[in-house]
């Protein structure tokens, strides 16, 4: 397996921070084992290099006659095309740049025709759950299997009223990494005349997105989960509902003409995409996202999937050998997943486990409910752990190595059998080492 991981890694683009060292409470400095890619990914070296080249040319977008402004506008529109290609969207699809997936889904939520029925599962991330609330939301619960998800959606749509409908889908679970049957769910939605939006935040860095072949109407994704952490996301898809909706942000760029007559202001809104991109756009973030999309496409998904699959298998096998560590999942163990591995440690405070792994081993994982409270509550209840309200999640990305995985397995084993080797106390809702001799990096001290 080591040779398999090494071969795949050799084909992958490098990430910034791959050589980062972090302090331990024992006084040592160790390479950082970043196993928190599901929360945010580091920056690709390709992205930083392209941004460094562009920054001297950075200027206003769309509304400047100067040469630097024209270059910036071209960069911004190139990024729009790159994101469209990356998502497999039809050529006439619109690409709206937003701050992130949450922003993109809220934008779509504001653009729904009146009385639209929305269908969603209880397993969704809060970004895909909360933009649409109220009497016309049809909650589909937690399906026991992928086929049950398809049947549940079909039953709900068959019982729905006439009028516009939107089905909210997830590409890969933010909690468990399990891949959803996107094509089958989209086909059911089309049979009943419903539109679909795909939350691809957790999918985009791990698997190809095929908007056109899946028959999905919109996809939302984030740059910060796509190796472009510069504050940009996108909503990609059909134009009609977006073209007739009130602008998401009223202001410069969203307006084609503002006049006043007889004491009343009259506004003519811009066409899509500018209609929903009010204010000065984040051209740096858009460019970063476009470069990341091109880089992932260029290396090919085979290398990404091979690397991730081998390391995820290594991690799951290692955890399975530790008594008291229980892995979580919705469906069968062999159901396809991206490199996200959730688990709990019996008899230990989950937050303390994550804190000790960081302080004593230089490992970064996530603890909590991962912005999917209903999903985590369901998983813990199913595993007969209703006394817990949080879990642990390790996640793999381009910069993950076999040593990172092995260190996590060894650290967990030590914590299970010996407990933390440092003293910790609760402060402000979190565990902190006492004392904490770790020095902050110099750039923080300067502030």
């Amino acid at each position: 397996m080591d040779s398999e991981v090494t071969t795949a890694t050799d084909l992958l683009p490098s990430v910034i921070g791959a050589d980062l060292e972090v302090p331990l409470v024992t006084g040592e400095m160790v390479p950082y084992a970043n196993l928190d890619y599901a929360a945010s990914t580091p920056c690709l070296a390709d992205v930083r290099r392209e941004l460094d080249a562009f920054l001297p040319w950075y200027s206003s977008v769309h509304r400047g006659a100067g040469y630097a402004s024209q270059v910036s506008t071209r960069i911004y529109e190139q990024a729009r095309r790159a994101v469209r290609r990356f998502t497999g969207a039809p050529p006439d699809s619109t690409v709206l740049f937003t701050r992130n997936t949450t922003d993109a889904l809220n934008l779509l939520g504001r653009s729904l025709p009146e009385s639209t029925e929305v269908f969603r599962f209880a397993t969704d991330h809060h970004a895909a759950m909360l933009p649409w609330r109220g009497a016309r939301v049809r909650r589909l619960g937690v399906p026991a299997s992928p086929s049950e998800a398809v049947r549940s959606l079909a039953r709900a749509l068959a019982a729905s009223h006439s009028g516009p409908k939107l089905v909210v889908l997830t590409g890969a679970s933010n909690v468990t990494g399990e891949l959803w049957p996107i094509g089958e769910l989209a086909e059911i939605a089309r049979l009943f005349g419903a539109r679909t939006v795909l939350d691809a935040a957790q999918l985009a860095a791990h698997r190809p997105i095929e908007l056109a072949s899946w028959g999905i109407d919109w996809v939302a994704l984030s740059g910060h989960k796509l190796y472009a952490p510069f504050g940009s996301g996108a909503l990609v898809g059909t134009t009609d509902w977006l073209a007739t909706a009130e602008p998401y942000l009223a202001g410069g760029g969203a307006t084609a003409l503002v006049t006043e007559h007889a004491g009343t202001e009259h506004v003519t809104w811009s066409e899509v995409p500018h209609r929903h991109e009010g204010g000065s756009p984040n051209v740096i973030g858009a460019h970063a996202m476009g470069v990341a999309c091109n880089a992932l496409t260029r290396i090919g998904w085979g290398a990404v999937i091979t690397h991730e699959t081998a390391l995820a298998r290594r991690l799951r096998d290692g955890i399975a050998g530790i008594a008291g560590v229980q892995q979580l999942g919705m469906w069968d163990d062999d159901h396809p997943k991206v490199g996200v591995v959730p688990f709990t440690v019996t008899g230990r405070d989950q937050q303390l486990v994550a804190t000790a792994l960081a302080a004593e081993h230089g490992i970064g994982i996530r603890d909590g409910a991962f912005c999917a409270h209903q999903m985590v509550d369901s998983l813990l209840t199913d595993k007969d752990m209703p006394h817990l309200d949080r879990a642990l999640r390790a996640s793999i990305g381009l910069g993950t190595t076999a040593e990172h995985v092995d260190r996590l397995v060894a650290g967990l084993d030590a914590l299970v059998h010996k407990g933390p080797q440092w003293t910790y106390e609760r402060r402000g809702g979190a565990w902190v080492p006492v004392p904490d001799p770790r020095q902050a990096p110099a750039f923080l001290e300067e502030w």
Side-chain angles (χ1 to χ4, degrees):
M1 185 176 293
D2 287 337
S3 61
E4 181 183 11
V5 173
T6 301
T7 301
T9 303
D10 290 343
L11 301 174
L12 301 177
S14 59
V15 299
I16 303 302
D19 56 354
L20 177 67
E21 291 195 336
V22 295
L24 305 183
V25 288
T26 56
E28 301 169 70
M29 296 291 292
V30 297
Y32 183 49
N34 180 4
L35 290 164
D36 195 19
Y37 277 71
S40 281
T41 52
C43 180
L44 282 180
D46 287 353
V47 169
R48 184 171 73 173
R49 182 170 57 252
E50 293 294 330
L51 287 185
D52 284 346
F54 168 59
L55 277 172
W57 297 89
Y58 169 75
S59 187
S60 62
V61 173
H62 293 138
R63 295 184 288 280
Y67 192 74
S69 179
Q70 293 178 29
V71 169
S72 294
T73 298
R74 183 174 174 181
I75 283 287
Y76 189 67
E77 294 305 326
Q78 282 180 347
R80 209 187 295 277
R81 292 191 292 274
V83 172
R84 184 184 292 113
R85 288 193 303 270
F86 181 78
T87 58
D92 60 347
S93 296
T94 191
V95 177
L96 302 178
F97 281 118
T98 62
R99 290 178 295 172
N100 44 45
T101 302
T102 302
D103 198 32
L105 291 171
N106 274 272
L107 189 164
L108 182 61
R110 288 272 299 274
S111 303
L112 302 185
E114 189 175 354
S115 300
T116 299
E117 278 190 283
V118 177
F119 301 79
R120 62 166 176 76
F121 292 91
T123 50
D124 292 342
H125 186 283
H126 293 165
M129 179 181 290
L130 300 181
W132 15 73
R133 288 177 288 171
R136 298 190 70 81
V137 174
R138 302 293 176 254
R139 298 167 180 83
L140 304 179
V142 179
S145 66
S147 58
E148 174 56 28
V150 175
R151 290 193 296 269
S152 175
L153 177 61
R155 288 193 299 267
L157 287 169
S160 65
H161 305 294
S162 60
K165 304 174 183 64
L166 177 70
V167 176
V168 183
L169 303 175
T170 295
S173 170
N174 177 63
V175 178
T176 66
E178 288 162 301
L179 293 168
W180 280 69
I182 302 168
E184 295 172 67
L185 291 166
E187 183 178 6
I188 291 296
R190 289 195 302 275
L191 287 175
F192 289 94
R195 299 291 187 90
T196 46
V197 60
L198 177 69
D199 171 6
Q202 204 57 251
L203 180 71
H206 303 278
R207 298 291 188 276
I209 300 172
E210 302 172 7
L211 198 67
S213 63
W214 288 335
I216 298 286
D217 292 280
W218 294 280
V219 62
L221 63 164
S222 293
H224 80 97
K225 292 184 186 286
L226 195 62
Y227 303 97
F230 291 88
S232 189
L235 178 69
V236 184
T238 57
T239 302
D240 53 354
W241 285 6
L242 301 169
T244 56
E246 284 287 304
Y248 182 52
L249 295 172
T255 52
L257 181 66
V258 180
T259 59
E260 182 179 344
H261 178 69
T264 301
E265 286 183 343
H266 299 271
V267 180
T268 302
W269 300 113
S270 301
E271 300 296 321
V272 172
H274 310 297
R275 183 187 193 91
H276 296 294
E277 292 181 347
S280 296
N282 178 10
V283 60
I284 295 293
H287 184 42
M289 195 170 175
V291 172
C293 287
N294 287 340
L296 287 171
T297 302
R298 185 170 58 251
I299 64 171
W301 287 104
V304 174
I305 294 170
T306 298
H307 169 76
E308 173 186 299
T309 301
L311 288 176
R313 187 186 313 120
R314 188 186 192 103
L315 178 55
R316 293 188 180 101
D317 289 347
I319 289 176
I322 305 174
V325 177
Q326 188 163 13
Q327 298 182 52
L328 304 174
M330 286 187 296
W331 301 327
D332 292 340
D333 290 343
D334 59 354
H335 183 80
K337 306 173 183 68
V338 300
V340 176
V341 182
F343 58 94
T344 60
V345 179
T346 303
R348 301 287 180 186
D349 183 295
Q350 309 304 298
Q351 189 181 44
L352 178 57
V353 170
T355 302
L357 285 170
E360 299 176 31
H361 302 276
I363 299 167
I365 65 169
R366 180 72 38 157
D367 74 278
F370 320 124
C371 296
H373 294 174
Q374 293 182 34
M375 169 70 157
V376 171
D377 180 68
S378 172
L379 290 173
L380 296 177
T381 300
D382 287 347
K383 294 292 186 181
D384 197 26
M385 293 182 287
H387 59 285
L388 293 180
D389 61 358
R390 59 200 309 130
L392 298 160
R393 183 188 68 189
S395 48
I396 290 165
L398 295 180
T400 308
T401 67
E403 190 278 329
H404 296 162
V405 170
D406 294 345
R407 200 190 323 168
L408 173 59
V409 173
L412 279 172
D413 188 66
L415 281 167
V416 167
H417 291 98
K418 300 177 183 177
Q421 299 300 292
W422 202 260
T423 303
Y424 300 85
E425 65 180 43
R426 296 282 294 181
R427 291 182 186 171
W431 290 99
V432 295
V434 180
D436 189 351
R438 295 174 295 177
Q439 297 275 324
F443 67 85
L444 278 181
E445 295 176 354
E446 291 174 2
W447 290 89

